[in-house]
Amino acid sequence: MPALRRNRFERRRAETRQALVRAARQTLAESGGAGASVHAIAERADVGLGSFYNHFTGKPDLFDVAVADALEEYGQAVDERLHGVDDPAERLAGGVRLSVRMAESYPEIMQMLCHSQLGRICGGGGLAARAKRDVEEGMAAGRFTVVDPVIALTVLNGSLLALLELWCNQPGADSDQAAGIMAEMILHMLGLSPDEARDVARRALPATV
Amino acid sequence: MPALRRNRFERRRAETRQALVRAARQTLAESGGAGASVHAIAERADVGLGSFYNHFTGKPDLFDVAVADALEEYGQAVDERLHGVDDPAERLAGGVRLSVRMAESYPEIMQMLCHSQLGRICGGGGLAARAKRDVEEGMAAGRFTVVDPVIALTVLNGSLLALLELWCNQPGADSDQAAGIMAEMILHMLGLSPDEARDVARRALPATV
DNA sequence: ATTATCTATAGATCTATAGATAATGC
DNA sequence: ATTATCTATAGATCTATAGATAATGC
């Protein structure tokens, strides 16, 4: 069975690769990647140094993949939890509020985000793509009155990262409340009335699937 | 004259130190500092490698000083230009709008900010301290209706950095207009009516001193 | 005499590869 | 037979220091 052979090989290969990505994610969460050697990462992944170059051309390559991997996991988790919420305003607010909740259940990803620079995060298909979709939907539905969607997204992305940064630096604060307030402010900024912004931002979040 | 002696020595010493800081700022603007060796920075400053350790304990120390130095210059430049503007809302909007204009006259600082992570920038007394003052003044004057000033500042800081990031990645766009729109959205978010937010955000900026 | 600077370098570390070894499929 | 992995290492690079040199003030 040639398929099996390929599978067996590829499975082991994929395991090695994933171990490296996992180790890179941990490293990025701890130190932002600065000062971590390829050798140290491979050691952490329990993988020979030589194997590293079998999968990645170098450290930047691995880090790019690791960031994309974490963002994808993050995005899927948010999507799962917001499934069934149709109002784009409520989705947007829910995304902000859930990000902080997830900071507690996925601390590794959030610390990695805090150590990253803004451009690296917004590029891919993680948070930014989802927010873009929600803003556009909300505009099309007449729910948001926004002069320029690009600027609205810029505010959104920057604010969310700054909120996570705040969370990283003040672990004691009531982050649920903070995220709720931010969601409310953002909805108001996007055109909802103060009362409606507050109402939508305080709706119960869907139960975890 | 012992004073002169100290002065002469200290002047030369300060020149060496400043050359290193300047070189560090350039390096941070170009590459974010990753992969730049102490030797390369000292070379760029036209300073012997040994002298470096006479002024700084290591690369992180130098980079910290360089970031603070740039933020201080930036903050002073904004302050100069906004001198005489008394309305905190107008000051806040002016700060956002001027930041982008300054991106064209001080590109080095702005590129450095784009390569930095959020936490490093908000810590010191640069943009963040000024925004904090304006928000607090505006709340005290009843001009802003904000639930939580900490969250408002979080949005502000993140949005501004994201705007600079946008500017760095899209050099062709009309950044003046983008900054005006963002200022308008932020003022509205802080409680001004849509009409007033638009009005304040479009007031003529003071002529350069 | 004092101080800052410079050059040269020791020692550490890091990257990337070469060659050997082990696992798998045929 | 093929492929991925491992170990070991060559070569490059980087940090930090030691010792020599030059500038300044007394």
Side-chain angles (χ1 to χ4, degrees):
Chain A
M1 281 184 276
L4 232 181
R5 169 204 164 188
R6 267 215 314 281
N7 283 348
R8 175 87 50 97
F9 263 106
E10 285 181 1
R11 238 178 295 145
R12 292 184 66 88
R13 208 181 133 79
E15 271 170 29
T16 301
R17 182 186 161 95
Q18 207 173 355
L20 287 167
V21 171
R22 249 196 313 268
R25 281 175 52 166
Q26 289 168 9
T27 302
L28 284 169
E30 283 170 9
S31 65
S37 69
V38 174
H39 178 82
I41 296 170
E43 197 66 29
R44 177 170 224 165
D46 201 20
V47 161
L49 176 59
S51 290
F52 173 87
Y53 293 96
N54 210 344
H55 292 270
F56 301 99
T57 64
K59 213 172 8 177
D61 183 21
L62 171 63
F63 281 166
D64 285 346
V65 172
V67 170
D69 184 76
L71 282 178
E72 183 56 29
E73 183 180 337
Y74 169 87
Q76 283 186 8
V78 171
D79 258 0
E80 261 183 31
R81 285 175 175 71
L82 286 181
H83 186 257
V85 177
D86 292 327
D87 176 16
E90 193 174 343
R91 282 188 75 89
L92 207 57
V96 172
R97 293 165 68 201
L98 277 177
S99 294
V100 176
R101 290 215 185 158
M102 286 182 51
E104 276 154 29
S105 39
Y106 298 70
E108 182 208 277
I109 294 181
M110 295 305 136
Q111 277 165 19
M112 188 197 77
L113 293 180
C114 285
H115 288 135
S116 301
Q117 72 183 88
L118 193 53
R120 183 170 227 175
I121 298 166
C122 298
L127 346 183
R130 254 160 274 266
K132 183 161 185 280
R133 179 197 57 197
D134 292 342
V135 167
E136 283 168 355
E137 259 185 47
M139 287 179 69
R143 194 135 173 72
F144 299 148
T145 57
V146 172
V147 183
D148 184 336
V150 175
I151 306 298
L153 278 169
T154 303
V155 173
L156 258 173
N157 288 331
S159 300
L160 188 53
L161 184 63
L163 180 65
L164 295 177
E165 183 83 33
L166 189 70
W167 173 84
C168 280
N169 294 335
Q170 303 191 355
D174 184 346
S175 50
D176 251 7
Q177 195 190 10
I181 294 172
M182 179 176 281
E184 183 183 333
M185 292 182 74
I186 287 175
L187 289 182
H188 175 55
M189 180 185 76
L190 293 175
L192 274 67
S193 74
D195 286 344
E196 190 171 15
R198 161 182 291 208
D199 179 55
V200 173
R202 296 194 180 180
R203 274 186 205 153
L205 287 169
T208 306
V209 179
Chain B
M1 280 188 273
L4 232 182
R5 170 204 164 188
R6 267 215 315 279
N7 283 349
R8 175 84 54 99
F9 262 106
E10 283 182 2
R11 239 177 296 143
R12 293 184 64 89
R13 209 182 133 78
E15 270 170 30
T16 300
R17 182 186 160 96
Q18 207 173 356
L20 286 167
V21 171
R22 250 196 311 270
R25 281 175 52 166
Q26 288 167 10
T27 303
L28 284 169
E30 283 169 11
S31 64
S37 69
V38 173
H39 178 82
I41 296 170
E43 196 67 27
R44 176 171 224 164
D46 202 20
V47 161
L49 176 60
S51 291
F52 173 87
Y53 292 96
N54 210 343
H55 292 271
F56 301 99
T57 64
K59 211 169 15 174
D61 183 21
L62 171 64
F63 280 166
D64 285 347
V65 172
V67 169
D69 183 76
L71 282 179
E72 183 56 30
E73 183 182 335
Y74 170 87
Q76 282 187 8
V78 170
D79 259 0
E80 262 182 30
R81 285 174 175 73
L82 286 182
H83 186 258
V85 178
D86 293 327
D87 176 17
E90 194 175 342
R91 284 189 74 88
L92 207 57
V96 172
R97 293 164 68 200
L98 279 177
S99 294
V100 176
R101 290 215 185 159
M102 286 182 51
E104 276 153 30
S105 39
Y106 298 70
E108 182 208 279
I109 294 181
M110 294 307 137
Q111 277 166 18
M112 188 198 76
L113 292 180
C114 284
H115 288 135
S116 300
Q117 71 182 90
L118 193 52
R120 182 169 228 174
I121 298 166
C122 297
L127 347 183
R130 254 159 274 266
K132 184 162 186 279
R133 180 198 56 194
D134 292 341
V135 167
E136 283 168 356
E137 260 185 46
M139 288 179 67
R143 194 134 172 75
F144 298 148
T145 58
V146 172
V147 182
D148 183 337
V150 175
I151 306 298
L153 278 168
T154 303
V155 173
L156 259 173
N157 288 330
S159 300
L160 189 52
L161 183 63
L163 180 64
L164 295 177
E165 182 84 32
L166 190 68
W167 173 83
C168 280
N169 294 334
Q170 302 191 357
D174 184 346
S175 50
D176 251 9
Q177 195 191 9
I181 295 172
M182 180 176 281
E184 183 184 332
M185 293 182 74
I186 286 175
L187 288 182
H188 175 55
M189 182 185 75
L190 294 175
L192 274 68
S193 74
D195 286 344
E196 190 171 16
R198 162 182 291 209
D199 179 55
V200 173
R202 295 194 181 182
R203 273 185 206 153
L205 287 169
T208 307
V209 181

